[in-house]
């Protein structure tokens, strides 16, 4: 297998989590001498587009119709395709397999009807959840895909008396919840210093600094006393770093991961901000975490070690062992 295509979209509506985990696998494949090309679009996120450009990963517009996508894959000389999107047309995987490609589908629980040779569900506890019979699946935290910028970083422990907070919701904050959680932090009345990542600038005031999406995110995660985020792909990076985390969810597909992580005590649960406002219970949870270092560090301790950083190697091994049909 010498050439692999990633069918992946990123943008304001879909977020960038799909692209980030595909980039992690692409880094591993490139390190093994495999050529990689991304198929799709990046809409409205300069940060996401920069992730491909900085790694010299080509991006080719992809047709939505499965037969035309399969024709493009043959034209590009692809041996395999990685599918990571909730919006693919029915029959996309089947068309690619019919064209002779090995297909890896990255899923979050439901495979959404896509046919594949290999399925990857990196969510915590995925190995215990039901899946279509006879499907070959890589399931659970053993297979989490992490970028180079995260795998090579250890956690930094801030020494200051005031907790340092990082608040972000993917590369696009597609649900626009950053102002709500900035407000919840302020409502605690506890001392802290916070960096809030938002593609849309807003004035938070007080000890909060609002910045645009940045490549410094792994550094900021490693240096935070507390991270407030959604139960998306970035959670696995936080677990690998052992960063104390308080979770919400912004899309229905994140709820299963939220419940698993909070249920295990790996992260604190904040619930969901309704109508742009976090409720009093969430403010209370944040206040406790900001004022009790032992409580927040316990979450980090429980999460540390669940993600060993070698998941992408295991996934690449499985994909490269798969024989083209």
């Amino acid at each position: 297998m010498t050439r692999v295509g990633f069918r992946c979209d990123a943008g304001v509506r879909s977020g960038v989590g799909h692209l980030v985990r595909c980039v992690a696998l692409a880094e591993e494949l490139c390190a093994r001498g495999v050529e990689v090309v991304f198929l799709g679009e990046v809409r409205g996120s300069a940060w996401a587009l920069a992730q491909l450009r900085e790694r010299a990963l080509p991006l080719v517009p992809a047709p939505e119709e499965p037969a035309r996508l399969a024709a493009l894959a043959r034209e590009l000389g692809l041996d395999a395709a990685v599918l990571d999107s909730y919006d693919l047309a029915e029959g996309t995987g089947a068309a690619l397999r019919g064209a002779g490609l090995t297909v890896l589908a990255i899923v979050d629980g439901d495979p959404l009807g896509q046919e594949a040779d290999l399925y990857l569900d990196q969510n915590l506890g995925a190995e215990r959840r039901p899946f279509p019979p006879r499907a070959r699946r890589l399931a659970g935290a053993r297979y989490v895909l992490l970028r180079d910028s995260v795998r090579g970083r250890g956690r930094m422990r801030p020494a200051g008396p005031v907790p340092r907070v990082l608040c972000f919701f993917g590369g696009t904050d597609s649900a626009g919840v950053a102002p709500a959680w900035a407000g919840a932090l302020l409502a605690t009345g506890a001392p802290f210093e916070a960096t809030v990542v938002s593609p849309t600038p807003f004035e938070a005031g007080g000890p909060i600094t609002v910045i645009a999406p940045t490549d410094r995110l792994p550094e900021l995660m490693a240096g935070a006393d507390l991270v407030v985020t959604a139960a998306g792909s970035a959670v696995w990076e936080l677990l690998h770093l052992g960063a104390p985390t308080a979770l919400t969810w912004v899309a229905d597909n994140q709820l299963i991961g939220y419940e698993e992580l909070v249920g295990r005590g790996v992260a604190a649960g904040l619930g969901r901000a309704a109508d742009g406002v976090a409720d009093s219970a969430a403010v209370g949870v944040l206040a406790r975490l900001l004022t009790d270092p032992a409580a927040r560090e316990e979450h980090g301790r429980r999460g540390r070690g669940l993600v060993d950083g070698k998941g992408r190697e295991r996934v690449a091994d499985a994909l490269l062992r798969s024989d083209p049909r």
Side-chain angles (χ1 to χ4, degrees), residues 181-207:
W181 292 107
L185 286 167
L186 291 171
T188 65
F192 67 89
E193 296 175 355
T195 299
V196 177
V197 182
S198 173
T200 303
F202 66 94
E203 289 293 333

Side-chain angles (χ1 to χ4, degrees), residues 184-234:
L185 286 167
L186 291 171
T188 65
F192 67 89
E193 296 175 355
T195 299
V196 177
V197 182
S198 173
T200 303
F202 66 94
E203 289 293 333
I208 296 177
T209 301
V210 180
I211 65 172
T214 173
D215 282 337
R216 292 182 56 237
L217 194 59
E219 173 191 339
L220 294 171
M221 290 191 293
D225 291 294
L226 176 66
V227 179
V228 178
T229 190
S233 297

Side-chain angles (χ1 to χ4, degrees), residues 103-181:
V103 175
L104 165 64
I106 302 179
V107 302
D108 296 295
D110 190 347
L112 301 175
Q114 289 300 338
E115 185 178 316
D117 296 280
L118 187 62
Y119 296 89
L120 165 62
D121 186 343
Q122 63 178 14
N123 290 286
L124 195 63
E127 64 275 17
R128 303 193 310 273
R129 291 190 279 272
F131 203 75
R134 297 183 300 279
R136 186 179 174 205
R137 183 172 60 144
L138 309 175
R142 268 179 57 80
Y143 300 99
V144 166
L145 305 173
L146 295 180
R147 297 172 289 162
D148 287 337
S149 58
V150 175
R151 295 209 314 165
R153 187 178 297 279
R155 178 145 183 250
M156 300 178 292
R157 296 185 178 276
V162 176
R164 198 175 302 172
V165 180
L166 173 64
C167 183
F168 72 97
F169 302 92
T172 63
D173 187 18
S174 57
V177 297
W181 292 107

Side-chain angles (χ1 to χ4, degrees), residues 7 9 39-41 60-73 76 88-89 92:
R7 176 64 183 89
D9 291 324
L39 309 171
E41 294 183 80
V60 176
E64 294 184 6
E65 203 276 320
R68 291 179 59 207
L69 180 62
L72 175 62
L76 293 171
L88 293 176
T92 298

